[in-house]
Amino acid sequence: MSGLSGPPDWYKDAVVYEVGVRSFCDSDGDGYGDLKGLVSKLDYLADLGVTALWLLPLCPSPMRDDGYDIADYKGIHPQVGTLDDFRALIEAAHARGLRVITELVLNHTSDQHPWFQRARRAPKGHPDRDWYVWSDDPERYKGARVIFQDFEKTNWTWDADAKAYYWHRFYHHQPDLNFEHAPVREAILDVVDHWFGLGVDGLRLDAVPYLYEREGTSSENLPETHAFLKTLRAHVDAKWTGRMLLAEANQWPEDAVKYFGDGDECHMAFHFPLMPRLFMAMRREERRPIAEIMARTPAIPDNCQWALFLRNHDELTLEMVTDEERDYLWREYAKDPKARLNLGIRRRLAPLLDGDRRRMEMMTAMLLSLPGTPVLYYGDEIGMGDNLGLGDRNGVRTPMQWSPDRNAGFSTADASKLVQPLVTDPAYHWQTFNVELQKANESSFLNWTRRLLRLRARHPAFGRGSVTFVDAGTYHALAFVREFEGDRVLVACNLSRFTRPLPLDLSRWKGATPVELFGGVRFPPVADDRYQLTLGPRGFCWFALEGP
Ligand code: BGC
């Protein structure tokens, strides 16, 4: 059972905080963050104003892909604790009104998973072998792209035990499960029941577009994948209430939207194409990248919701942009070639924005006001830096910085034993960027974010409202109105680095009075003419639109 009451579509009002448990807080001094450590920080998270936690992989794993290489779907990795610790976390989170979302890595397992060990030894034609995708010919499914292109050349790897090639969309040590095989589908439903049974509120469906393969296609978004998702959803609806499925489908809007089905597949899906366009809009100081992708985004079923994000535990992926746009973003945001990884940029929010407070505020304000549920990445609320010296995506997975004390208050272990080294880049040193110091400073980014989250929580329009884009007289401005059952919020952003007049076309809301949300200051009512607003460099305003 889920310990929390509230509407079944709670995810529409949620603010999600993504936590790498291993990097968050270490309770036992072994250098790895753990579930008990996370429990000790729940008050911090509740006070910050987030309402749901998304926990990165927790299951037993050889950890060659930070736990996305699962060796046992039902256990907890000893580094982070035990199943009892997990139960305690759920209870403690629910007691504070926080929901918990965990990972369902269903496309692949680790090659150490007993299912794969059994499969590679089973003779051809034996049902045990069919749990994975085998071939004598590594030329099959040529239409499928290689995703981790800095590390893998092909999606087939030879297995000497099986004397055949196995299929993998990610690292070669992550063989893809064979969804054609009914026992695989049943096993995944059983895993879903296991975690929902433990009280989890939502599951993130990792790498969900790649479940099936078909010759002559890209082997992404296939009808068979959607058919399985409908079965999965029907199963969940029949057995559980108030649970959420979140699709990780890095796809163009018209493909991503299909993961909602007719409201009978996933409840949520990440909006991947919007994310790089927020960075593009910021750099080009123009609305167009955002406006275009929003116009290209189809309507979604009533019971569904986009998940929006700026940064996460992976590289800032540039798969959903054109080649020219990618070159532009690489040039502007990854001048140091070390910052580039696969088709993306392995940096955190603050360093991407040169630590510029105005741009950090503007990006956060857009994340929190555009239509969808915002997902914050741990540490970005204190403007944490990253470490390009670490391999793969580890540079954005360094320990959370709690205080100026030993190991930033993350762990009492010897510094050499930490899951990753702390950020010591002088511009982002943990002794300066940490929760304790920022809590004590009224004007810190942490306190600003906390205030913004409080304002957002007062207006259901942010989570549930319609969106109407408003002409602001200049391509440098992004302005829109969110409306839900009488709650109306006007958002105006000046993307330019100069102060600008923003003559807003608010004719639809004539007679309404804008009330600025931070200060509660009442502005002149909307009259016949354009509404004359002036915003400073990269300034933004949120107003309640009161009255008629
Ligand atoms: C996760 C990555 C992971 C990959 C393979 C992705 O979608 O976000 O961190 O490496 O799936 O499981």
Side-chain angles (χ1 to χ4, degrees):
M1 48 127 229
S2 168
L4 273 181
S5 54
D9 59 356
W10 55 269
Y11 45 87
K12 288 191 175 180
D13 306 304
V15 175
V16 180
Y17 186 90
E18 177 187 356
V19 200
V21 175
R22 262 170 284 271
S23 304
F24 205 58
C25 180
D26 170 17
S27 73
D28 57 5
D30 66 354
Y32 289 85
D34 45 46
L35 292 164
K36 285 192 173 128
L38 174 57
V39 169
S40 74
K41 298 299 182 186
L42 290 177
D43 287 336
Y44 163 77
L45 295 169
D47 179 63
L48 176 60
V50 302
T51 65
L53 311 179
W54 154 27
L55 311 184
L56 292 177
L58 302 169
C59 292
S61 153
M63 299 301 294
R64 295 177 70 190
D65 183 14
D66 218 23
Y68 284 97
D69 46 334
I70 287 183
D72 167 9
Y73 275 106
K74 294 191 177 176
I76 291 287
H77 197 297
Q79 273 172 353
V80 296
T82 62
L83 271 175
D84 278 342
D85 293 340
F86 185 77
R87 288 188 190 97
L89 165 79
I90 296 277
E91 197 177 321
H94 284 175
R96 290 163 178 81
L98 296 166
R99 314 252 174 190
V100 178
I101 302 163
T102 57
E103 293 277 349
L104 180 67
V105 185
L106 72 173
N107 177 67
H108 47 267
T109 68
S110 160
D111 59 5
Q112 300 307 304
H113 196 291
W115 296 343
F116 187 71
Q117 295 301 326
R118 196 175 62 192
R120 72 184 347 168
R121 294 194 186 105
K124 273 188 188 168
H126 191 286
D128 285 351
R129 187 164 167 120
D130 291 342
W131 281 60
Y132 292 83
V133 182
W134 301 100
S135 175
D136 296 329
D137 172 14
E139 296 300 309
R140 282 173 76 199
Y141 310 138
K142 271 286 171 207
R145 64 193 166 119
V146 173
I147 295 169
F148 285 170
Q149 50 179 256
D150 285 4
F151 303 95
E152 302 289 347
K153 295 227 157 356
T154 152
N155 293 322
W156 289 109
T157 289
W158 175 256
D159 187 67
D161 285 338
K163 298 196 178 45
Y165 295 92
Y166 61 88
W167 178 251
H168 53 88
R169 290 310 295 261
F170 295 92
Y171 284 119
H172 63 276
H173 54 76
Q174 288 165 313
D176 276 32
L177 284 163
N178 176 16
F179 274 78
E180 310 277 1
H181 194 48
V184 166
R185 300 193 298 270
E186 282 153 26
I188 293 297
L189 297 186
D190 183 44
V191 170
V192 168
D193 288 342
H194 173 75
W195 292 102
F196 282 158
L198 285 164
V200 160
D201 302 284
L203 289 170
R204 169 186 178 272
L205 275 50
D206 182 65
V208 72
Y210 317 114
L211 303 187
Y212 287 81
E213 300 73 37
R214 282 286 178 273
E215 208 59 74
T217 74
S218 66
S219 294
E220 300 186 16
N221 314 318
L222 293 175
E224 293 79 358
T225 295
H226 289 289
F228 172 71
L229 290 177
K230 286 187 200 297
T231 306
L232 168 62
R233 174 64 179 270
H235 174 90
V236 170
D237 284 351
K239 280 193 92 156
W240 307 101
T241 47
R243 311 307 168 97
M244 184 275 287
L245 302 173
L246 163 59
E248 192 226 6
N250 186 355
Q251 301 290 332
W252 290 99
E254 48 279 18
D255 292 320
V257 86
K258 296 197 181 120
Y259 288 84
F260 298 124
D262 299 318
D264 57 355
E265 293 188 29
C266 293
H267 306 77
M268 296 186 78
F270 286 104
H271 200 313
F272 274 92
L274 175 64
M275 182 274 299
R277 285 170 180 80
L278 293 169
F279 287 93
M280 199 167 351
M282 181 59 76
R283 200 65 180 188
R284 288 196 178 148
E285 305 183 24
E286 60 161 340
R287 164 190 65 226
R288 204 177 53 188
I290 300 171
E292 281 179 359
I293 205 69
M294 295 304 293
R296 185 175 163 177
T297 301
I300 62 175
D302 268 356
N303 55 347
C304 295
Q305 175 88 327
W306 291 110
L308 309 185
F309 65 106
L310 299 172
R311 292 296 302 111
N312 62 19
H313 63 293
D314 288 327
E315 68 274 28
L316 188 169
T317 160
L318 301 176
E319 283 155 297
M320 292 305 125
V321 294
T322 64
D323 291 350
E324 276 157 37
E325 290 168 334
R326 184 178 313 117
D327 285 344
Y328 174 79
L329 286 161
W330 262 335
R331 204 166 55 236
E332 295 298 326
Y333 284 106
K335 290 199 176 65
D336 183 344
K338 280 201 301 225
R340 301 180 188 185
L341 182 75
N342 301 317
L343 284 185
I345 304 173
R346 51 193 198 111
R347 300 227 71 169
R348 268 185 178 270
L349 184 66
L352 279 166
L353 302 174
D354 304 324
D356 176 353
R357 178 71 183 263
R358 279 203 171 133
R359 277 183 281 164
M360 287 160 64
E361 289 185 2
M362 170 77 91
M363 289 292 267
T364 307
M366 289 198 287
L367 172 72
L368 263 52
S369 57
L370 282 163
T373 288
V375 182
L376 306 173
Y377 185 48
Y378 86 91
D380 282 350
E381 75 273 25
I382 55 167
M384 234 170 97
D386 50 31
N387 185 346
L388 291 180
L390 302 176
D392 201 344
R393 292 149 288 173
N394 293 331
V396 300
R397 300 172 179 179
T398 61
M400 179 67 178
Q401 300 163 188
W402 294 104
S403 74
D405 302 335
R406 175 177 177 182
N407 295 327
F410 162 71
S411 169
T412 55
D414 186 278
S416 64
K417 297 218 167 69
L418 300 187
V419 55
Q420 303 290 344
L422 286 155
V423 173
T424 52
D425 171 349
Y428 295 97
H429 202 287
W430 56 268
Q431 281 176 335
T432 314
F433 289 84
N434 60 65
V435 170
E436 186 180 309
L437 292 184
Q438 293 208 14
K439 268 200 152 172
N441 176 357
E442 271 296 303
S443 358
S444 65
F445 189 58
L446 174 64
N447 279 323
W448 179 86
T449 305
R450 192 170 157 269
R451 276 197 294 276
L452 197 68
L453 287 169
R454 278 182 173 46
L455 294 181
R456 190 185 190 278
R458 284 191 216 145
H459 292 276
F462 283 118
R464 294 179 179 259
S466 60
V467 63
T468 310
F469 287 92
V470 165
D471 185 68
T474 163
Y475 65 86
H476 290 295
L478 176 74
F480 51 89
V481 174
R482 306 286 317 273
E483 291 182 88
F484 177 73
E485 292 180 357
D487 183 34
R488 269 192 315 224
V489 180
L490 163 67
V491 174
C493 308
N494 172 15
L495 295 161
S496 139
R497 63 191 187 287
F498 302 114
T499 301
R500 291 197 177 265
L502 265 54
L504 298 173
D505 178 4
L506 296 180
S507 41
R508 262 177 73 172
W509 298 277
K510 193 176 153 191
T513 301
V515 181
E516 200 278 329
L517 291 191
F518 272 94
V521 177
R522 296 181 78 78
F523 273 52
V526 179
D528 285 325
D529 298 338
R530 288 256 170 163
Y531 197 80
Q532 297 299 334
L533 191 70
T534 300
L535 286 179
R538 285 164 182 136
F540 80 92
C541 268
W542 283 3
F543 298 96
L545 277 184
E546 289 184 358

